[in-house]
Amino acid sequence: MKAFLFSSAFFAIVASALPDPKGHEFRAAGPYDSRSPCPGLNALANHGYLPRDGANINYDMINHAAQAAYHFEDGFYIDAVNMVFQLDISTTSRPNETFHLRDLAQHDQIEVDGSLTRNDIFFGDDLHFDATVFDPVARDLGLDKISRKDKFVTIETAAKATKNRLDLAKRVNPEFNVSVHQHETEYGTTALYLLTLWDEHQKAAPKHWVKALLGEDRIAYREGYNKGKSVKTNKQVGAMTQAVRAVVGWKP
């Protein structure tokens, strides 16, 4: 028993002592920094892969940052960035070339109801992290109970947690917008965070990494995050989305 406790404590100390990469230390957003409803993009800014002020972002910045931090394929975000410009939601002085992260909070354009970490626009703020939204999700993901024997989020667990969040949002939000865009993106963001943090050997995402990204907009370098050896592709996101949806019986 003592040996187990010692090894557990040692594991925790080592994990918490790991440093952020030089030049990419975590720094939470300040009051004048621009951030989005997306933890993954916010984390890129919080670690300096994107400009830390989150302003005047262009495609090349996103493309390079996603490759450097998450090992996404070249062009991974091209469709998403093009959508920003096609929807004409940028508020920068060069709206056909750049955008602020905050611009992505345009409701039912990019952002939709039922976020895992943000509240619905009906309640006044769809941009900032909301603990009352995330805490039940975190419990469903088991992020409040992490041990050496239970330290991964599986596809099944993630799918059920997302379904619970969507069901709750639909119950409490009288104006929940079940638009075509909302329905088509359901479970896609779950697949995206799973793939971003995927442990290829365990076929699951480490709970510590999920907790840091979703709960703090932080890349879990301190907890041992690495981006993996394999390039992550849009095709894999599609396959992961289908796997997540299959768990809950999602229908087109």
Side-chain angles (χ1 to χ4, degrees), residues 147-165:
S147 68
R148 294 176 69 89
K149 294 183 178 180
D150 183 13
K151 56 183 180 179
F152 293 96
V153 174
T154 64
I155 290 175
E156 181 177 5
T157 299
K160 291 179 178 178
T162 298
K163 184 179 187 302
N164 288 345
R165 165 58 186 148

Side-chain angles (χ1 to χ4, degrees), residues 48-239:
Y49 289 101
L50 290 175
R52 289 187 181 270
D53 64 0
N56 297 299
I57 307 295
N58 64 33
Y59 167 70
D60 287 338
M61 292 177 185
I62 289 274
N63 191 43
H64 176 73
Q67 291 180 78
Y70 300 142
H71 213 178
F72 287 170
E73 67 179 332
D74 183 29
F76 187 91
Y77 275 115
I78 185 65
D79 289 340
V81 173
N82 283 340
M83 184 184 297
V84 172
F85 300 136
Q86 290 165 4
L87 292 171
D88 194 25
I89 60 175
S90 171
T91 60
T92 73
S93 60
R94 294 183 294 149
N96 294 321
E97 301 174 27
T98 63
F99 61 93
H100 304 316
L101 289 181
R102 183 183 299 270
D103 295 336
L104 303 183
Q106 293 286 336
H107 182 59
D108 208 39
Q109 300 292 318
I110 301 292
E111 180 276 335
V112 294
D113 287 335
S115 166
L116 300 178
T117 61
R118 271 69 178 167
N119 217 330
D120 294 347
I121 190 63
F122 173 80
F123 299 103
D125 183 3
D126 62 349
L127 177 61
H128 298 95
F129 176 83
D130 191 321
T132 63
V133 169
F134 180 62
D135 286 353
V137 175
R139 286 194 296 271
D140 287 342
L141 291 173
L143 303 185
D144 58 336
K145 297 178 181 178
I146 305 176
S147 68
R148 294 176 69 89
K149 294 183 178 180
D150 183 13
K151 56 183 180 179
F152 293 96
V153 174
T154 64
I155 290 175
E156 181 177 5
T157 299
K160 291 179 178 178
T162 298
K163 184 179 187 302
N164 288 345
R165 165 58 186 148
L166 288 169
D167 289 347
L168 176 61
K170 291 173 183 177
R171 287 199 305 271
V172 301
N173 180 358
E175 296 183 7
F176 188 95
N177 189 8
V178 189
S179 65
V180 172
H181 176 56
Q182 187 277 329
H183 188 63
E184 288 180 346
T185 58
E186 277 185 348
Y187 300 99
T189 53
T190 297
L192 181 58
Y193 86 69
L194 284 174
L195 183 65
T196 301
L197 305 175
W198 198 243
D199 184 308
E200 297 175 6
H201 299 293
Q202 298 293 332
K203 304 302 180 186
K207 287 184 176 182
H208 282 298
W209 300 4
V210 174
K211 188 174 184 178
L213 187 66
L214 298 187
E216 301 178 49
D217 290 356
R218 177 173 66 83
I219 300 174
Y221 291 116
R222 302 170 195 170
E223 294 84 0
Y225 167 83
N226 67 83
K227 62 184 180 181
K229 296 180 180 179
S230 300
V231 174
K232 300 161 187 170
T233 68
N234 270 304
K235 184 177 180 180
Q236 289 175 310
V237 173

